[in-house]
Amino acid sequence: MRPDPPDVSGPGPAPWGATAAGPRRAAADAAPAGRRGTAGREGTVERGGTAGREGTAGRGGTVEALVVRAHDAPGPTLVLRVDRLPPGALALGAELRAALAATPRPRLHKIALFDPRTLRYRFVQALPGGSFDFRAGCGHSLLACVVADGRPGPVTVRAVTTGDTVLCEPERAPHHDAYTLSFLRAPDAPGTLPTGRPVDVLLGVPVSLVRYGNPYVFVDARHLDPRATERQLLALRAEAARRLGHPPASALPKIAAVADGPGGLSVRALTVGGWHPGLALTGAAALAAAGAIDGTVVPVPRGPVRTPAGPVTVSAAPDRVRVHHKRAEVLERLELPWRVHATA
């Protein structure tokens, strides 16, 4: 007899506004441009001003950022406009760590680099130990960029890292403060099943490997030991990473246990550092895509999906997957003291 599945139920300042600081071309889809400085000099940014002005050697500038919290996310996102970053800032690393250390929020783990001119964004995941992962995407951080930008009406954002195009539409009453996010790709498009199979067997456990929003591993919770669920999921995630060609220490693939019962579908997922408080927005999209494909371990959601943080509503159409009723709010502005070498 299979064991019972684990229990998987369970005002800020005004945004930036829609106007960019000026037309600048972003290298590699997200790298900041601006005026070129002299080799050995540091680029400075005036408060709320234009990136890329030349500074004097040994002097730094400040970069304005917004801290935005998407509901159900494990933590807030630091949103940085790429047109306000100094040249060379996307080297990140020690510069970003040093800049964050000088603020009231030195341990932010989610960073979103947003270009309001092209509506492109790149997600950066801070990992334990001080390194960064540039390979993953984050739907909650994408929504944080839209809320930080503050322009009204539907907004279509291109996620540079994952290649997703996401339409963010404000909802009407009673969810007037919420968004529906539509991932504009057919759930059964080529590549959604990276192995070409709806079910693979990892470490003796049947799973579905799905690449939609982020690479995900979905596991039927009936195959897990309730006393060692996290350990089993971590082992399965490591094996999936090996199969899919991801470094073992990276944030990918994500993994979640699913359980179907009389009350509908329940999900519990891991994130960097432990259990996710709810379900990642990309996880909700991947779940809906998996449910739309015959033969996966994920059944078609018959209603809101239960998560530890509350229900998540998803839907799938032939050309897209939708995640409904998502909210985010600006928590505060930060001035990051940034010292980055400009390049000639």
Side-chain angles (χ1 to χ4, degrees):
M1 177 180 294
R2 288 173 174 170
D4 292 333
D7 181 11
V8 292
S9 63
W16 279 319
T19 304
R24 299 259 197 297
R25 180 174 180 82
D29 291 327
R35 301 176 184 173
R36 289 186 175 181
T38 303
R41 294 189 177 183
E42 294 178 312
T44 65
V45 180
E46 296 179 340
R47 184 183 182 100
T50 302
R53 300 197 176 197
E54 294 183 28
T56 304
R59 295 177 61 187
T62 61
V63 174
E64 182 186 80
L66 291 185
V67 180
V68 184
R69 179 64 181 262
H71 297 196
D72 301 329
T77 295
L78 182 76
V79 181
L80 289 162
R81 281 177 52 158
V82 297
D83 59 327
R84 293 184 179 176
L85 290 177
L90 288 193
L92 290 175
E95 290 84 3
L96 178 57
R97 287 290 185 191
L100 283 173
T103 75
R105 292 182 177 268
R107 293 182 178 86
L108 286 169
H109 299 299
K110 292 180 178 292
I111 300 120
L113 306 170
F114 184 59
D115 186 340
R117 182 178 55 84
T118 63
L119 294 179
R120 296 189 177 203
Y121 109 105
R122 184 186 297 274
F123 175 65
V124 183
Q125 174 72 59
L127 297 174
S131 61
F132 296 92
D133 193 324
F134 292 83
R135 301 176 181 88
C138 178
H140 285 129
S141 292
L142 185 150
L143 177 60
C145 291
V146 172
V147 170
D149 191 47
R151 72 185 71 197
V155 179
T156 301
V157 178
R158 173 77 170 177
V160 173
T161 308
T162 62
D164 291 307
T165 300
V166 183
L167 172 63
C168 304
E169 299 176 281
E171 297 182 5
R172 299 178 180 177
H175 304 288
H176 58 85
D177 59 341
Y179 287 81
T180 290
L181 282 79
S182 298
F183 288 72
L184 302 181
R185 182 163 69 92
D188 60 351
T192 300
L193 299 178
T195 67
R197 297 179 293 271
V199 174
D200 289 271
V201 178
L202 302 181
L203 306 179
V205 176
V207 306
S208 290
L209 302 176
V210 176
R211 182 176 280 118
Y212 197 98
N214 270 319
Y216 260 84
V217 185
F218 291 110
V219 186
D220 189 326
R222 293 176 296 179
H223 295 279
L224 299 173
D225 182 349
R227 298 163 298 180
T229 302
E230 182 176 2
R231 186 171 70 247
Q232 279 187 279
L233 290 177
L234 288 172
L236 289 168
R237 196 198 81 84
E239 177 62 16
R242 187 186 69 79
R243 296 266 188 107
L244 297 177
H246 293 286
S250 78
L252 298 175
K254 308 292 187 179
I255 191 165
V258 298
D260 195 22
L265 191 61
S266 297
V267 181
R268 195 171 188 198
L270 286 175
T271 187
V272 175
W275 290 108
H276 197 289
L279 179 64
L281 203 153
T282 55
L287 182 83
I293 299 174
D294 291 338
T296 70
V297 303
V298 179
V300 178
R302 301 186 302 275
V305 177
R306 292 184 296 155
T307 79
V312 175
T313 303
V314 298
S315 61
D319 64 338
R320 68 189 62 194
V321 161
R322 297 183 181 93
V323 184
H324 305 266
H325 317 324
K326 302 304 294 185
R327 295 176 171 84
E329 60 185 356
V330 177
L331 298 182
E332 62 182 300
R333 295 175 185 267
L334 292 181
E335 293 286 343
L336 275 65
W338 209 297
R339 299 171 63 85
V340 181
H341 264 315
T343 56

